Amino acid sequence: MEDTICAISTAKGVGAISIIRISGKDAFKIINKIYKGKDLNKVESNTINYGYIYDKDELIDEVLVSILKSPKTYTMEDIVEINSHGGINTTNRILELVLENGARLAEPGEFTKRAFLNGRIDLTKAEAVNDLINAKSDLARKVALNNIKGNLYNKIKSLRNSIGELMANIEVNIDYPEYEDIEVITNEILKPKLNKIKEEIKIILNNTKNAKLINNGINVALIGRPNTGKSSILNKFLDEEKAIVTNIPGTTRDIVEGSITLDGFEINFIDTAGIRETSDVVEKIGVEKSKQATKDADIVIVVLNNNEKLTKEDEELINLVPENKRIIFVNKNDLENKLELKDEYVLGNTIDYSGIDNLKNAIKDKLNLDNIMVSDMTYMSNIREIDLLKKALNNIQSAITNLNSMPIDMLEIDISNAWNNLGEIIGEVYQDELLDILFSNFCVGK
Amino acid sequence: MYDVIVVGGGHAGCEASNISAKLGMKTLLLTMNKKNIADMPCNPSIGGVAKGIIVREIDALGGLMGVVADKSHFQIKMLNNSKGPAVRSLRCQADKRVYPKVMLEYLESNPNLEIKEALVEDLIIENNTVKGVILSDNTKIYSKTVILTTGTYLKASILVGSTKKDEGPHGEGRSNTLSDKLKEYGLEIIRLKTGTPPRIAKDSIDFSKLKEELGDDTYYTFSHDIKPVYDINKQQKCYLLYTNALTHQIIRDNLTKSAMYGGYVTGTGPRYCPSIEDKIVRFSDKERHQLFLEPESIYYDEWYLQGFSTSMPVDVQEKLVHSLEGLEHAKITKYAYAIEYDAINPLQMHPSLENKIIHNLFTAGQINCTSGYEEAAGQGLIAGINAVQKILDTEPLILKRDEAYIGVLIDDLVTKGIKDPYRMLTSRAEFRLILRHDNADLRLRDIAYKYHTINDEQYERLQQKKKDIANLIKEIKNTKLELNEEIKKDFINNNFSVPLRNLSYEELLRRPEITFNFLNNYHHFNYNKDVLEQVEILIKYEGYINKALKESAKLKKIEEKEIPENIDYTKIKNLASEARQKLSEIRPRTIAQASRISGVNPSDITILSLYLKKEYNND
């Protein structure tokens, strides 16, 4: 009944390809749920298979999947390695999919631990990884401490305390059933409390979206017909801000064209067909590519030409992007105005920098960045934490769903699982803690 | 020369000596006073939440407490019936005169067991191995193993107000030197405290002012093997009462006179069993505290005032008791007292309950820092079984946390250490949904049979039950309730939603409101009550039970990874220093046990695992 674990096993943020590794008895079952291509149950061991990762009907990425069958693998279990080309967002998305389909996020060093537990690693290797794991977990400890500072820590802690007090009350009802002065936790009392906890977890998860912007940067895509000036806009941005990363031509899989910082936020310009097209290559707008970019991006800048009338293709592009992500930039205001537009837009050109400044402000407004800076920063910053918080939410939801059909001892299992999930986030899993709460809150005993 | 000497005839000593003799060992039970065998010096009840499940486990494992309780109680109740199957538990009001008598009969019927009155003051130790005991008159008695179940008698002191007497309960003597000797041999001694409330003469209680507490009107037994021997209509009543503002005022006015608050007590008391002065001080905003009056026996007229344990001087106790409604004219027959006693640090024990420092020495009960008759009996049984295994040189019986509350109890003792006397609570068991009242035999009787602690007949009964359960599950999966107008009407009349098509009985049972009781109207399920109950629980709560099983399966793998006894933690590089210190002190037996020690982090466990692999080629 050993569970199946997964993790991104390439270093975060470095390299064009990321590998998501899955190990355990359900590895093949899980990959088959999200992969389109050959039936991976039927392929030979040690093969690399070309195909696509889908979230239901939505294409997530084009991938290569390595199938490694037990026992001749690193962990001696079935292993799947997904080679994703999609950069950190897509990689995270795939990881989330794998988690949703039954895997659990691996602890730091857990693949190696399994390799060791299953007898795979020999003596010399064990010696070597010993140091590695130690270093890693120390780092992990520091990282955890840095991530979980101030607000978030307190928020999770107080949320967990309220669950703990609820549990202590339930436990005292169970362990001291004949104390009539102690409030009995009935469904009527439990329901609003659980709903409140659920709502609070949801708020933190929502804030997580903003956190992603802070930690992973803001992905901006430029789309538009050829010759509207996308590439000039990009170059202006990158030139002015002394781009921290620029594309090395030839690595066509690179998703990020270049990054700049804007008021402390990292802005990543992501690849869409035609950004770097040269004038002598006439290309279609590539609606498919633009669609993909629209999904990956936090902001999509639709570039239109001030000097031309609105075309059907322009309209198609505008409609492609949901309003909350969309900035329409009308370029070439140095030329004669022929464009008529009912939507809101930003005007500018790429001769002077005014167009760029306007765009920057538009991005900030669109994402409400100024507010993010000052508002309550309770958010989860890493996938492990988000995963745990989602689990906590599911456990609370399960308790709410079963409220009227299950006795309290069953519901308490869900509630205490949620309590443990939150405890793992803030590193508190002291087992006797509940008894401490119980005996300090209730007066019981002979 | 005996095989096993058991020192102390309380609940731990009874189970230990009985099982050892039952397993064919020449056993000697030493007690200071034969009259006090299986004595109940505190509350007159056996079982209770979680504790009742321990009694079921003792019975499943071939112990005596369940069957003796069944034969000696005058009231029985299933607690937490409405809160779900995981937390249901039996409690009976055991007659304080009958229980010891029945227990003694069982013990005396065992030809391998000899009972002798004597006071043990020292052990015979050679090469760190116990070879027998030395009595107060310096007589030496030799044995292969010794089990200490000394209860509160090691250096016992009774405190009432500022007076302190060096004696055990009932004015009995105490063991003066044994704990000092144990200390000399390297054991760490811990001073603990507990207390007991006053006893009241029945004819001085005004019952008309009190609220009745009745027994259940369903028959129950702790034992898996006997039919009920009591009459539900002849159960005795208990009563409920409360403290009031006057009681609280008297306590506040006299606080410094209490042994506890006057600074006369040095031992650590249990958190779950606070004295009444503790309750008033710690929960000063509470206007009243609940108390119970329970008869101690139907053969004498003394009542136990549960919830009112105190170490106040006798004159204050008089005032306090008289402040209670219904007890205005009460006659106190025995004053409340606090008792201090020596125990040993349970971290110095193996999970087999054998001492780590003195070989062949086992301990059980209050000497291991626990409290409660049931906790003591459970340990006594395990200590008895394992003393025998030690003699036979076979594997000790170590119950896992997902097998029994007794497993949780012992694992907690030897892994986590003790801050105050340990009482079992359901919240200590992370797998309580698996450790139910109803499945104690299914969990433990195969194990018991392997250790020869139950007989063939008991084993056959278990196998039959297992077969019946499997057959019944098959039957309900394969048969459907054919709906007709009449049946639909029954559903409506019961406020059940009417199925839209014919459902199997299994599907119907999954509905929270539908029971075999209801389904029996349409299909005769020819199985006994236990089997029906078991299947109903397994079907109804399958989702949650599977969740719990999944969690426990995670533990299994690391539970099987053993740590060599002679491991030197100072040689493991990269262990955090706190982990190194804790591991060296506790010396866990398995990786799983190591992972439960507070202060040992997951990364320490990984490093330890890698080290084991490297040094011991331990897979």
Side-chain angles (χ1 to χ4, degrees):
Chain A
M1 272 239 234
E2 186 81 34
D3 45 10
T4 299
I5 56 172
C6 67
I8 299 172
S9 47
T10 40
K12 198 175 165 184
V14 183
I17 294 176
S18 302
I19 296 174
I20 297 120
R21 182 189 276 167
I22 315 170
S23 175
K25 68 174 176 45
D26 292 332
F28 298 153
K29 205 171 102 191
I30 292 169
I31 184 68
N32 264 336
K33 284 194 209 164
I34 60 171
Y35 173 86
K36 280 195 184 154
K38 282 184 220 165
D39 182 350
L40 295 176
N41 270 321
K42 290 183 183 148
V43 303
E44 299 263 325
S45 184
N46 303 329
T47 55
I48 295 177
N49 304 277
Y50 174 80
Y52 302 91
I53 297 294
Y54 272 84
D55 182 358
K56 297 187 188 82
D57 295 330
E58 181 191 340
L59 176 65
I60 306 298
D61 198 12
E62 178 187 29
V63 293
L64 293 171
V65 176
S66 308
I67 293 294
L68 308 154
K69 291 188 178 169
S70 169
K72 287 189 175 172
T73 70
Y74 182 59
T75 55
M76 297 189 75
E77 300 170 336
D78 286 339
I79 287 186
V80 170
E81 289 184 349
I82 308 169
N83 291 255
S84 141
H85 310 98
I88 192 66
N89 273 356
T90 310
T91 310
N92 280 346
R93 185 84 190 273
I94 296 174
L95 182 65
E96 279 170 9
L97 262 181
V98 173
L99 291 172
E100 280 165 23
N101 281 284
R104 166 175 74 69
L105 201 65
E107 307 282 343
E110 195 171 4
F111 288 101
T112 307
K113 181 177 159 192
R114 287 195 174 190
F116 161 72
L117 289 175
N118 291 323
R120 164 69 172 70
I121 299 182
D122 65 27
L123 299 186
T124 41
K125 266 190 187 160
E127 180 87 84
V129 288
N130 189 349
D131 295 332
L132 180 76
I133 287 172
N134 202 31
K136 232 186 171 175
S137 51
D138 259 342
L139 183 68
R141 227 173 280 163
K142 277 177 201 152
V143 168
L145 277 177
N146 286 334
N147 281 350
I148 301 172
K149 54 190 170 212
N151 284 340
L152 174 64
Y153 179 84
N154 289 334
K155 186 80 201 164
I156 298 283
K157 203 179 161 104
S158 83
L159 197 53
R160 184 163 180 272
N161 281 350
S162 55
I163 299 178
E165 276 169 24
L166 188 59
M167 281 166 63
N169 200 158
I170 294 172
E171 293 296 337
V172 91
N173 292 159
I174 289 170
D175 275 320
Y176 296 90
E178 290 167 319
Y179 280 76
E180 297 186 344
D181 283 357
I182 294 172
E183 179 182 41
V184 175
I185 298 293
T186 58
N187 287 353
E188 290 68 42
I189 296 173
L190 203 51
K191 197 174 179 181
K193 289 194 182 200
L194 289 176
N195 278 327
K196 188 163 173 259
I197 292 163
K198 182 176 117 182
E199 288 313 312
E200 285 184 36
I201 296 177
K202 274 188 168 171
I203 289 171
I204 302 177
L205 281 172
N206 278 339
N207 286 350
T208 302
K209 281 187 198 151
N210 292 341
K212 271 190 181 163
L213 298 181
I214 291 164
N215 289 294
N216 300 335
I218 298 160
N219 289 339
V220 176
L222 288 152
I223 62 172
R225 283 185 295 122
N227 294 322
T228 47
K230 299 188 295 291
S231 139
S232 309
I233 296 167
L234 177 67
N235 287 335
K236 276 280 183 205
F237 264 116
L238 298 184
D239 282 351
E240 187 206 16
E241 304 290 341
K242 297 192 180 58
I244 39 183
V245 183
T246 44
N247 182 35
I248 303 156
T251 53
T252 49
R253 292 284 184 192
D254 274 0
I255 185 174
V256 176
E257 289 285 313
S259 302
I260 60 163
T261 36
L262 172 64
D263 288 0
F265 289 90
E266 193 179 332
I267 307 257
N268 306 310
F269 289 95
I270 60 175
D271 182 26
T272 47
I275 290 189
R276 283 187 175 266
E277 92 229 70
T278 47
S279 53
D280 50 282
V281 179
V282 182
E283 215 182 320
K284 294 236 164 190
I285 14 168
V287 174
E288 280 313 307
K289 269 280 185 183
S290 300
K291 262 188 194 165
Q292 186 56 45
T294 302
K295 273 176 189 147
D296 288 342
D298 303 302
I299 291 288
V300 179
I301 302 174
V302 184
V303 185
L304 303 176
N305 187 344
N306 182 50
N307 194 227
E308 288 173 12
K309 286 204 161 143
L310 195 70
T311 67
K312 231 178 110 188
E313 288 155 317
D314 287 334
E315 273 186 271
E316 204 178 325
L317 285 174
I318 291 169
N319 292 332
L320 195 66
V321 187
E323 206 275 326
N324 63 350
K325 285 186 175 183
R326 187 178 62 206
I327 296 172
I328 299 172
F329 182 65
V330 177
N331 195 13
K332 306 188 185 182
N333 69 349
D334 50 319
L335 300 176
E336 186 194 343
N337 174 293
K338 291 182 183 167
L339 186 79
E340 282 176 43
L341 201 59
K342 52 184 187 310
D343 300 278
E344 204 182 317
Y345 60 90
V346 179
L347 197 59
N349 63 68
T350 51
I351 312 292
D352 62 27
Y353 281 104
S354 66
I356 299 305
D357 287 338
N358 291 345
L359 263 181
K360 280 188 201 163
N361 289 333
I363 292 171
K364 275 163 53 179
D365 289 350
K366 201 80 197 171
L367 293 174
N368 224 344
L369 291 190
D370 291 336
N371 280 345
I372 289 182
M373 300 303 282
V374 293
S375 69
D376 177 20
M377 291 306 286
T378 42
Y379 61 84
M380 314 301 297
S381 56
N382 77 39
I383 287 218
R384 193 186 86 90
E385 291 162 7
I386 296 169
D387 187 45
L388 284 165
L389 198 59
K390 282 185 181 166
K391 276 187 187 156
L393 184 66
N394 287 340
N395 283 319
I396 294 291
Q397 186 54 55
S398 169
I400 295 172
T401 310
N402 292 314
L403 201 59
N404 290 319
S405 60
M406 286 286 161
I408 194 81
D409 62 342
M410 302 292 160
L411 303 177
E412 214 268 353
I413 290 175
D414 287 326
I415 299 171
S416 77
N417 282 343
W419 189 66
N420 284 329
N421 295 145
L422 298 186
E424 270 186 70
I425 294 175
I426 56 173
E428 285 177 8
V429 275
Y430 167 49
Q431 286 185 339
D432 290 340
E433 194 185 339
L434 189 64
L435 296 181
D436 293 342
I437 304 176
L438 195 154
F439 288 119
S440 58
N441 287 2
F442 299 98
C443 181
V444 284
K446 62 180 179 183
Chain B
M1 173 82 170
Y2 291 92
D3 292 313
V4 180
I5 293 176
V6 178
V7 181
H11 301 283
C14 287
E15 297 291 350
S17 57
N18 171 65
I19 204 74
S20 138
K22 195 168 160 183
L23 291 171
M25 295 291 146
K26 197 176 168 211
T27 307
L28 174 66
L29 173 60
L30 294 173
T31 170
M32 274 192 276
N33 189 340
K34 213 168 154 180
K35 273 195 306 201
N36 287 336
I37 287 221
D39 180 38
M40 300 167 68
C42 204
N43 55 319
S45 60
I46 301 278
V49 179
K51 291 160 166 274
I53 303 179
I54 293 182
V55 181
R56 291 279 284 176
E57 292 174 353
I58 291 169
D59 185 75
L61 289 168
L64 289 175
M65 184 172 249
V67 68
V68 175
D70 283 333
K71 291 181 175 178
S72 56
H73 68 75
F74 47 74
Q75 192 204 79
I76 192 160
K77 246 184 181 176
M78 182 63 89
L79 303 169
N80 285 336
N81 226 342
S82 65
K83 297 194 185 88
V87 296
R88 265 170 221 161
S89 204
L90 265 186
R91 187 195 56 208
C92 73
Q93 299 300 129
D95 193 300
K96 283 196 180 185
R97 187 160 286 173
V98 181
Y99 187 93
K101 197 173 138 260
V102 176
M103 181 60 86
L104 190 60
E105 281 166 16
Y106 271 99
L107 297 182
E108 286 181 330
S109 70
N110 197 325
N112 294 322
L113 177 59
E114 194 182 325
I115 304 173
K116 217 176 186 169
E117 288 187 353
L119 174 61
V120 174
E121 289 287 18
D122 197 358
L123 300 175
I124 309 165
I125 309 258
E126 287 169 24
N127 299 324
N128 295 326
T129 305
V130 70
K131 299 284 179 186
V133 299
I134 304 172
L135 306 182
S136 51
D137 62 358
N138 275 326
T139 314
K140 289 182 177 174
I141 309 178
Y142 290 87
S143 66
K144 292 176 185 159
T145 57
V146 171
I147 304 174
L148 294 180
T149 57
T150 51
T152 57
Y153 284 84
L154 291 185
K155 276 199 171 175
S157 302
I158 302 264
L159 296 113
V160 180
S162 60
T163 64
K164 180 173 164 184
K165 284 187 196 161
D166 289 342
E167 60 184 31
H170 313 300
E172 294 279 335
R174 65 173 199 173
S175 169
N176 284 307
T177 62
L178 186 55
S179 60
D180 290 342
K181 296 288 180 184
L182 293 174
K183 199 172 174 181
E184 254 173 55
Y185 303 136
L187 272 55
E188 189 192 326
I189 302 296
I190 296 173
R191 190 84 173 148
L192 295 175
K193 176 232 135 185
T194 187
T196 194
R199 314 300 202 266
I200 313 289
K202 182 184 178 183
D203 55 15
S204 69
I205 301 170
D206 183 354
F207 289 104
S208 67
K209 292 182 175 170
L210 309 178
K211 197 187 147 203
E212 288 179 1
E213 293 272 299
L214 303 173
D216 279 355
D217 51 11
T218 313
Y219 279 104
Y220 293 107
T221 59
F222 284 105
S223 167
H224 296 83
D225 305 304
I226 67 163
K227 297 251 174 318
V229 293
Y230 67 102
D231 182 344
I232 39 174
N233 299 314
K234 289 187 179 158
Q235 297 184 82
Q236 301 295 308
K237 290 170 193 161
C238 295
Y239 293 86
L240 182 62
L241 63 164
Y242 294 95
T243 60
N244 53 44
L246 178 59
T247 326
H248 296 199
Q249 196 52 49
I250 299 170
I251 286 172
R252 281 192 210 100
D253 291 347
N254 293 283
L255 206 52
T256 53
K257 292 183 188 163
S258 125
M260 201 58 202
Y261 284 87
Y264 306 104
V265 171
T266 53
T268 313
R271 284 187 294 181
Y272 49 81
C273 186
S275 62
I276 190 69
E277 48 267 38
D278 253 352
K279 293 182 192 177
I280 306 299
V281 171
R282 288 181 44 220
F283 298 91
S284 55
D285 54 333
K286 280 201 76 171
E287 286 168 12
R288 61 178 197 175
H289 293 272
Q290 195 172 337
L291 309 171
F292 297 92
L293 265 171
E294 303 167 8
E296 295 217 325
S297 169
I298 54 173
Y299 298 101
Y300 60 86
D301 292 337
E302 216 164 51
W303 284 59
Y304 179 88
L305 184 52
Q306 201 212 113
F308 214 66
S309 101
T310 177
S311 57
M312 285 288 187
V314 296
D315 57 320
V316 181
Q317 287 193 33
E318 291 280 352
K319 282 188 208 156
L320 283 174
V321 168
H322 293 152
S323 75
L324 302 170
E325 205 180 344
L327 296 184
E328 292 87 349
H329 308 290
K331 207 168 86 213
I332 300 178
T333 52
K334 221 178 266 163
Y335 290 101
Y337 59 85
I339 180 165
E340 283 191 298
Y341 56 98
D342 281 352
I344 62 172
N345 184 349
L347 293 180
Q348 293 180 322
M349 287 193 301
H350 293 290
S352 63
L353 298 182
E354 185 183 359
N355 197 268
K356 287 176 182 169
I357 294 160
I358 307 172
H359 305 308
N360 294 9
L361 176 69
F362 293 77
T363 49
Q366 279 168 306
I367 189 173
N368 288 343
C369 298
T370 62
S371 121
Y373 310 146
E374 304 79 4
E375 288 87 343
Q379 290 170 69
L381 183 66
I382 299 296
I385 292 172
N386 286 339
V388 176
Q389 307 314 310
K390 183 79 188 191
I391 293 166
L392 301 174
D393 197 21
T394 48
E395 278 294 299
L397 170 57
I398 295 167
L399 296 170
K400 299 194 179 76
R401 296 183 74 87
D402 58 353
E403 285 174 340
Y405 271 92
I406 298 174
V408 173
L409 165 71
I410 295 174
D411 184 66
D412 278 351
L413 289 178
V414 303
T415 307
K416 296 179 181 168
I418 287 299
K419 279 181 246 147
D420 59 330
Y422 183 102
R423 175 200 154 142
M424 185 46 77
L425 299 158
T426 66
S427 36
R428 296 194 195 267
E430 59 275 54
F431 305 119
R432 69 184 178 198
L433 184 47
I434 306 175
L435 308 181
R436 300 189 307 271
H437 164 90
D438 60 83
N439 68 356
D441 53 345
L442 295 165
R443 287 186 271 130
L444 296 171
R445 283 223 150 153
D446 280 317
I447 298 173
Y449 191 65
K450 207 180 110 199
Y451 281 86
H452 310 293
T453 58
I454 58 167
N455 60 32
D456 289 344
E457 191 194 324
Q458 289 169 310
Y459 182 68
E460 282 312 313
R461 192 158 38 239
L462 172 73
Q463 300 315 315
Q464 186 57 47
K465 185 171 172 184
K466 284 191 191 169
K467 262 183 235 160
D468 287 348
I469 290 169
N471 287 337
L472 177 55
I473 289 178
K474 221 184 280 166
E475 190 174 326
I476 58 169
K477 277 187 202 279
N478 295 334
T479 30
K480 283 186 174 175
L481 172 63
E482 306 285 341
L483 293 168
N484 58 35
E485 286 314 308
E486 206 173 316
I487 295 178
K488 284 182 184 170
K489 221 178 273 168
D490 286 351
F491 271 80
I492 294 166
N493 290 340
N494 278 292
N495 261 336
F496 300 163
S497 61
V498 180
L500 299 174
R501 57 184 173 84
N502 291 342
L503 294 178
S504 73
Y505 285 102
E506 186 205 13
E507 289 169 302
L508 287 166
L509 268 182
R510 284 189 195 285
R511 296 188 172 189
E513 69 279 11
I514 292 183
T515 60
F516 271 119
N517 228 352
F518 175 72
L519 296 178
N520 256 325
N521 296 326
Y522 315 107
H523 180 105
H524 181 53
F525 295 100
N526 192 17
Y527 296 89
N528 72 34
K529 213 179 79 190
D530 284 359
V531 172
L532 292 172
E533 181 192 24
Q534 194 58 227
V535 171
E536 203 171 296
I537 289 170
L538 291 176
I539 298 295
K540 259 194 182 21
Y541 307 111
E542 192 183 18
Y544 280 95
I545 291 173
N546 284 343
K547 267 189 202 182
L549 287 174
K550 207 171 152 191
E551 284 300 311
S552 79
K554 274 190 202 164
L555 249 189
K556 284 252 152 67
K557 205 161 180 179
I558 52 170
E559 202 72 71
E560 281 157 12
K561 288 188 65 68
E562 292 187 9
I563 303 175
E565 267 181 55
N566 59 354
I567 190 168
D568 181 355
Y569 288 102
T570 60
K571 287 198 176 140
I572 309 177
K573 280 187 285 175
N574 296 327
L575 271 184
S577 56
E578 188 189 0
R580 193 193 309 278
Q581 184 245 321
K582 289 271 179 69
L583 288 165
S584 306
E585 185 189 356
I586 295 166
R587 309 199 69 76
R589 238 184 80 262
T590 64
I591 291 286
Q593 194 195 345
S595 69
R596 285 190 287 272
I597 300 171
S598 71
V600 176
N601 290 317
S603 61
D604 299 315
I605 294 298
T606 313
I607 289 161
L608 176 59
S609 300
L610 287 167
Y611 178 82
L612 291 182
K613 169 75 183 170
K614 196 173 129 229
E615 290 299 309
Y616 298 92
N617 208 10
N618 176 340
D619 282 325

